[in-house]
């Protein structure tokens, strides 16, 4: 019926509606739940994010700073971002207005409207949910700039020589300084669902649902949001864009904080359906392993599970299946049969190595 509820659900199975153990409150421009206190500015910035469990302030300066850069690559207009764009930063104008969009026990939202550049408008809804460990920024942009690059910047109260970026089936670390020519050449980093800056004991992550360019210099972590190239398509990227990102402060490093799982939850919300199996299709007891793919084999009726080790760890996991089966074997990416694995009841015992991509065939 459209009401917001709290759901408890396993990764690949049916969930259930549960009673909320937390509420979110709104006082002026301050949003607060059990985990976070978030203070917003009238200009649309975030002036404070307190991580209650650790007592740490997340920001060293106001965050969610929207920035415009000149974006005129020497060669490939739609493909390259050249380093001299870093010298052309202009902060976007502050928000024209703001209004409370939602105020309930489970969700509070404040919407900001502002001009971006010369011809564009942005509406951004800042959201904090009950029990949520991150503050979300749901953004709609009517984009009509030319040769401009839009970024958002979060100056973090974190100091580290490298930042971490999710990539396909793993992660990459890149320096946060320009000490050498090699470091300077890595001013823009491709990534998937998150970028993280962590020091010993505390860190902060930016989650995204559809953005794949990041950068970090010093303590300033950025997401590249929109570009406006004119070649080969003069109308490329013009029009309405809708996307979301979130700021997730956490105790410990990104591995201990479960950032990979948080990125997945941010990108793949719970789906409502009329019926569902009583037990999960598959489950893994080890947080280092991610079950990425479930499919039918290309040349048989076997079920194929593809997992990857996400943290650089080594160990032995148990994969529990919710369907009957008689054997489990390893396979390569072409699904050629490998070695038989030990099966104990409805569980498969699976050893794994750091950064390994594991393919299982279930019969």
């Amino acid at each position: 019926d459209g009401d917001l509820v709290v759901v408890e659900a396993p990764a690949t199975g049916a969930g259930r509606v549960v009673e909320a153990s937390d509420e979110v409150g709104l006082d002026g421009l301050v949003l607060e739940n059990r985990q976070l206190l978030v203070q917003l500015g009238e200009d649309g910035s975030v002036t404070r994010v307190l991580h209650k469990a650790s007592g740490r302030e997340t920001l060293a300066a106001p965050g969610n700073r929207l920035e415009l850069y000149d974006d005129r690559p020497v060669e490939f207009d739609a493909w390259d971002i050249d380093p001299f764009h870093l010298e052309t930063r202009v902060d976007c104008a502050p928000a024209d207005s703001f209004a409370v969009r939602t105020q309930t026990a489970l969700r509070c939202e404040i919407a900001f409207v502002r001009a971006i550049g010369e011809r564009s408008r942005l509406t951004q809804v800042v959201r904090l949910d009950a029990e949520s460990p991150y503050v979300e920024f749901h953004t709609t942009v009517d984009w009509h700039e030319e040769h401009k690059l839009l970024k958002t910047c979060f100056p973090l109260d974190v100091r580290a020589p490298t930042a971490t970026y999710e990539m396909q089936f793993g992660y990459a670390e890149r320096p946060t300084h320009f000490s050498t020519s090699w470091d300077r050449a890595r001013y823009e980093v491709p990534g998937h669902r998150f970028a993280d800056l962590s020091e010993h004991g505390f860190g902060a992550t930016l989650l995204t649902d559809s953005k794949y360019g990041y950068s970090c210099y010093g303590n300033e972590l950025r997401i590249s949001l929109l570009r406006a190239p004119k070649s080969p398509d003069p109308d490329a990227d013009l029009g309405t864009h809708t996307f979301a990102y979130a700021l997730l402060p956490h105790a410990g490093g990104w591995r201990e904080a479960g950032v990979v799982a948080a990125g997945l939850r941010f990108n793949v919300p719970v789906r409502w359906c009329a019926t569902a199996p009583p037990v999960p299709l598959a489950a893994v007891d080890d947080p280092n392993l991610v079950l990425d793919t479930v499919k039918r084999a290309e040349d048989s009726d076997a079920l194929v599970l593809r997992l990857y080790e996400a943290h650089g760890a080594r160990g032995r996991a148990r994969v529990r299946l919710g369907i009957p089966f008689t054997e489990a074997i390893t396979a390569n990416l072409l699904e050629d049969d490998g070695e038989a694995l030990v099966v104990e009841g409805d569980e498969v015992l699976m050893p794994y190595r750091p950064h390994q991509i594991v393919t299982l065939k279930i019969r």
Side-chain angles (χ1 to χ4, degrees), residues 265-330:
R265 285 193 296 269
F266 189 65
N267 278 265
V268 188
V270 172
R271 296 178 180 270
W272 292 96
C273 59
T275 60
V279 296
L281 176 62
V284 186
D285 71 346
D286 193 323
N288 295 316
L289 285 180
V290 177
L291 176 59
D292 184 84
T293 304
V294 179
K295 63 183 287 288
R296 176 168 289 183
E298 295 296 318
D299 57 1
S300 71
D301 290 333
L303 184 69
V304 171
L305 307 182
R306 185 156 293 129
L307 308 93
Y308 68 94
E309 197 290 311
H311 295 152
R314 186 186 302 269
R316 187 180 181 91
R318 290 177 176 267
V319 180
R320 178 179 290 112
L321 297 169
I323 57 173
F325 68 100
T326 57
E327 66 171 344
I329 60 174
T330 62

Side-chain angles (χ1 to χ4, degrees), residues 26 47 64 67 69 113 153 162 181 208 210 246 253 294 304 307 349:
L26 177 63
T47 60
N64 196 36
E67 306 168 341
Y69 296 79
V113 179
C153 174
T162 59
S181 60
T208 70
S210 60
V294 179
V304 171
L307 308 93
L349 276 62

Side-chain angles (χ1 to χ4, degrees), residues 325-345:
F325 68 100
T326 57
E327 66 171 344
I329 60 174
T330 62
N332 59 21
L333 294 180
L334 296 177
E335 301 179 8
D336 298 324
D337 290 356
E339 299 177 353
L341 294 172
V342 176
V343 175
E344 294 183 354

Side-chain angles (χ1 to χ4, degrees), residues 50-125:
L50 173 66
H51 183 251
K52 293 184 178 181
S54 65
R56 286 283 301 265
E57 295 286 350
T58 306
L59 300 174
N64 196 36
R65 185 177 71 215
L66 295 177
E67 306 168 341
L68 274 179
Y69 296 79
D70 290 340
D71 184 19
R72 296 179 179 274
V74 172
E75 291 195 62
F76 303 105
D77 200 28
W79 285 268
D80 290 352
I81 298 176
D82 284 355
F84 57 77
H85 85 278
L86 297 171
E87 304 172 6
T88 67
R89 184 190 117 193
V90 175
D91 292 349
C92 294
D96 303 329
S97 62
F98 64 90
V100 175
R101 176 72 63 88
T102 305
Q103 186 175 5
T104 69
L106 295 182
R107 173 171 292 172
C108 288
E109 297 176 321
I110 301 177
F112 295 85
V113 179
R114 64 200 301 174
I116 299 293
E118 297 180 356
R119 294 179 292 274
S120 304
R121 299 287 293 176
L122 176 146
T123 299
Q124 188 166 72
V125 178

Side-chain angles (χ1 to χ4, degrees), residues 11 14-15 23 31 50 70 105 129 199 220 249 278 282 309 350:
E23 291 186 355
L31 302 91
L50 173 66
D70 290 340
D129 286 344
E199 62 189 25
E220 295 186 334
E309 197 290 311
M350 189 185 71

Side-chain angles (χ1 to χ4, degrees), residues 175-228:
T176 60
H177 53 80
F178 292 163
S179 296
T180 69
S181 60
W182 288 11
D183 299 332
R184 288 193 296 273
R186 291 182 278 189
Y187 53 87
E188 182 82 4
V189 183
H192 281 198
R193 289 170 291 226
F194 72 80
D196 179 88
L197 185 66
S198 292
E199 62 189 25
H200 179 66
F202 184 78
T205 303
L206 289 178
L207 308 173
T208 70
D209 72 339
S210 60
K211 299 302 170 186
Y212 304 100
Y214 303 90
S215 59
C216 187
Y217 182 70
N219 68 329
E220 295 186 334
L221 189 58
R222 290 178 169 87
I223 308 170
S224 296
L225 300 175
L226 289 172
R227 299 185 65 212

